[in-house]
Amino acid sequence: MAAINHKKLTAVQIAKRTFFIIFGSILMGVGLEEFLVPNQILDGGIVGISIILSHLTDWKLGLFIFILNIPFFYIGYKQIGKTFALSTLLGITILSITTSLLHEVPVFTEDPLLATVFGGIVLGAGVGTVIRFGGSLDGTEIMAILLNKKLPFSVGEVVMFFNIFIFGIAGFVFGWDRAMYSLIAYFIAYKVIDIMIIGFDESKSAWIISDNHKVLGEAILARLGRGVTYLTGEGAYTGDDKKVIFCVITRLEEAKLKSIVEEIDSSAFLAVANISEVRGGRFKKKAIH
């Protein structure tokens, strides 16, 4: 039971998580106040609504970001856990303070294209950092998780519909050119978030079914320097026992793996998939000759 029950974070883990959540929140604040908001370019989600309301009322952006996210602290606590809720509360608080402090600071650029590109990059880096360390800076996905249980739509579809609605409103409030810039900034931020969470060194898993599994496995070990695991399978159609080779490679090694398989057994079944993270085991590359 000790292994199943939740373990408390150590002081070092808490300090590391706190530092990066604060850092990511400040980055997002810089992306908003120094690039996007002064050029009337929106982010998606609750932050996008906050930008529109701030523009219409002249109230501080940080105030709307904090108030509109309050219900999602509780939902996040119920749906995901206390640590997530506290991390999100910290991130939203720092983000709100950062946007308020930077509101009067001169912007980095007034060129809408530069603001869109660099604002999206900085904002995405901030959001991705916070998500990677267990928090959130926008309640949209938490809301989507809740609605997913009551509506016949996935979490991604709910978020997409919500953001289309926001960018549609932005078209009427700021003009359709700004709405289109906002869509570009959102896409850039979305891709940068993926990079921050997954990382640049993306790995791939390979599954190979071959009658020459021993020769293939030894070739992968010798020529790629990657360890392999033999799994036992059974063909559903023939009922024959099959050996499945499983290995993890980098994306730069994919072409060489395919050439090895093609050379040894051109009729082998090969499936390659992306892996966001690899830990433990013997993934470290062996020496090759």
Side-chain angles (χ1 to χ4, degrees):
M1 288 298 294
I4 298 173
N5 293 333
H6 175 71
K7 293 182 179 179
K8 291 184 177 180
L9 296 174
T10 64
V12 173
Q13 289 174 322
I14 292 173
K16 181 180 178 181
R17 174 178 290 217
T18 301
F19 171 80
F20 280 105
I21 288 175
I22 292 173
F23 176 71
S25 303
I26 292 173
L27 265 186
M28 183 177 181
V30 171
L32 287 173
E33 286 291 350
E34 296 304 307
F35 291 100
L36 300 183
V37 176
N39 290 285
Q40 297 184 337
I41 300 169
L42 272 71
D43 182 27
I46 300 299
V47 174
I49 293 177
S50 300
I51 293 172
I52 293 172
L53 292 176
S54 176
H55 175 77
L56 295 175
T57 62
D58 285 332
W59 289 13
K60 290 289 182 66
L61 172 61
L63 182 64
F64 281 111
I65 290 175
F66 189 84
I67 291 174
L68 294 180
N69 275 292
I70 287 176
F72 301 109
F73 298 145
Y74 177 75
I75 297 172
Y77 172 76
K78 288 294 184 180
Q79 295 291 325
I80 303 174
K82 183 173 71 173
T83 303
F84 171 81
L86 292 175
S87 299
T88 299
L89 178 59
L90 172 63
I92 295 296
T93 302
I94 297 299
L95 174 61
S96 301
I97 293 171
T98 302
T99 56
S100 298
L101 293 176
L102 293 177
H103 188 65
E104 301 300 330
V105 176
V107 299
F108 290 165
T109 179
E110 294 182 355
D111 183 302
L113 182 58
L114 288 175
T116 297
V117 174
F118 286 95
I121 292 172
V122 174
L123 186 143
V127 174
T129 299
V130 172
I131 293 175
R132 181 162 188 156
F133 286 89
S136 175
L137 290 174
D138 194 293
T140 309
E141 290 194 2
I142 302 173
M143 178 189 68
I145 292 171
L146 190 66
L147 292 176
N148 170 249
K149 298 179 179 180
K150 300 180 180 181
L151 298 174
F153 300 109
S154 68
V155 172
E157 287 171 338
V158 173
V159 172
M160 181 185 69
F161 294 149
F162 189 63
N163 284 327
I164 288 174
F165 173 72
I166 292 170
F167 291 134
I169 295 176
F172 290 104
V173 176
F174 298 114
W176 293 106
D177 61 331
R178 300 296 159 165
M180 288 185 278
Y181 277 126
S182 299
L183 191 59
I184 295 171
Y186 178 77
F187 177 78
I188 293 171
Y190 182 84
K191 300 307 291 184
V192 174
I193 289 170
D194 276 351
I195 292 172
M196 294 301 298
I197 296 173
I198 296 173
F200 289 95
D201 189 20
E202 186 177 323
S203 301
K204 292 177 178 288
S205 63
W207 304 78
I208 308 164
I209 302 175
S210 170
D211 292 333
N212 297 323
H213 61 276
K214 277 290 184 184
V215 179
L216 262 174
E218 290 171 2
I220 293 169
L221 186 63
R223 293 164 61 179
L224 270 184
R226 293 296 179 191
V228 300
T229 300
Y230 298 117
L231 307 174
T232 301
E234 179 182 338
Y237 181 73
T238 62
D240 295 339
D241 290 335
K242 297 284 185 180
K243 284 294 184 181
V244 181
I245 302 172
F246 173 76
C247 64
V248 177
I249 59 174
T250 67
R251 58 185 173 186
L252 297 179
E253 295 168 333
E254 183 179 355
K256 188 169 183 179
L257 174 68
K258 289 178 179 177
S259 69
I260 292 172
V261 174
E262 179 68 23
E263 176 186 324
I264 295 174
D265 184 1
S266 60
S267 63
F269 173 83
L270 170 64
V272 180
N274 293 329
I275 300 177
S276 61
E277 188 171 359
V278 179
R279 292 188 183 186
R282 296 181 179 180
F283 182 62
K284 187 175 180 181
K285 191 175 177 70
K286 301 175 185 295
I288 57 177
H289 308 284

